[in-house]
Amino acid sequence: MIQRLTNLFALWTVLGTAWAWFIPEHFLWVVDGRFRPLGQPLISVMLGLIMLGMGLTLSFDDFKRIGRIPKCVAAGVILQFTVMPLAGIAIAMLTNLETGLAVGLILVSCCPGGTASNVVAYLANANLALSVTMTMASTLVAVVATPLLTGWLAGKFVEIDQWNLFINMVSIVLLPVIAGVLLNRYFPKATEKIAIVSPLASVIVIVLIVGAIIANSKALIEEHFGVLMLAVLLLHVFGFGLGYLITKALGFGIGERRTISIEVGMQNSGLGSSLASTPAFAAQFANPLQAALAPVPSAISAVYHVVIGSFLAAIWRRQPIQESFDDR
């Protein structure tokens, strides 16, 4: 039952977004500052819990998989941090996005793959082991890559404090993942029980984060609706499309093409939303209105990528995989 509910991630995201749009007050508590566990914004703590849940599902053996399929993992991670960031800056400039939206779009484009991609890879009959390994690898690389790329590309619009962004990546992403892996290693029985429900819990938390950003930014979304929706759509179309086409040109098997397409096309939008919502990130904007716009592309991204990914999964499930790169 839990697995079935988790696999309906796209449905819960769309329903949660619609709920937040029509009854925003049900979600505003996530971002209005009334709850600050551990003295941190609630949205950051929630994302840390998602990363902890991801770590609980990993073991030291999972890290060894990188050595067994280095070409696939390396290609996927490189595409993750080249195709999407370059598409992000190009689309931001071509669509003439306002500063806050442009920075937000670039930020989410520089984020690693999200855990939702593993669900979509499973539904698409792709290479699930590669998907999990890529998510893990891109998440670890992102601790350094996301601050550097965001600072470099978004620097055209606003000066980004890369060091502060790096500290946030360490505290929100790296430390919870490491904690989860260690708990899995030294407390396997307890972790096994928690890991049964952690994927569904992650889905619920992601929906709450996305819903909260939508609810808090409803007026801004309405004001910039057309260009914003187009820009985020183009970002993910490029991600899914180029992820597949480039790996096909490299001679990868169908399963690996699908997996890398999904991993490149699906960003960790919750991370983008969380980073853009931190007071330190908002303080880098001279205009508070532009700071309020920054988390919005990530929230829209979360809806787009699960819908596109689920659509592709529905198509690919009906198409058998004839060969795999690993079988060559």
Side-chain angles (χ1 to χ4, degrees), residues 205-252:
V205 173
I206 291 172
V207 171
L208 285 173
I209 291 175
V210 172
I213 300 298
I214 294 292
N216 193 52
S217 310
K218 181 178 178 179
L220 297 174
I221 294 173
E222 288 177 326
E223 183 180 350
H224 303 278
F225 187 82
V227 66
L228 173 63
M229 301 300 283
L230 174 62
V232 181
L233 173 63
L234 289 174
L235 177 67
H236 290 292
V237 167
F238 275 109
F240 282 104
L242 291 178
Y244 190 91
L245 293 174
I246 292 174
T247 49
K248 182 178 181 180
L250 291 173
F252 283 31

Side-chain angles (χ1 to χ4, degrees), residues 58-131:
L58 300 174
S59 67
F60 289 104
D61 288 338
D62 292 317
F63 290 87
K64 295 178 182 178
R65 277 208 305 264
I66 297 176
R68 293 198 292 267
I69 48 175
K71 184 174 181 180
C72 291
V73 176
V77 173
I78 289 171
L79 290 175
Q80 177 84 58
F81 291 110
T82 53
V83 168
M84 293 300 275
L86 292 175
I89 181 67
I91 292 167
M93 296 177 68
L94 289 173
T95 55
N96 198 29
L97 289 177
E98 289 198 31
T99 298
L101 293 177
V103 172
L105 185 72
I106 293 168
L107 175 60
V108 73
S109 75
C110 295
C111 284
T115 53
S117 62
N118 305 147
V119 176
V120 172
Y122 168 77
L123 296 175
N125 285 334
N127 188 326
L128 184 57
L130 175 60
S131 177

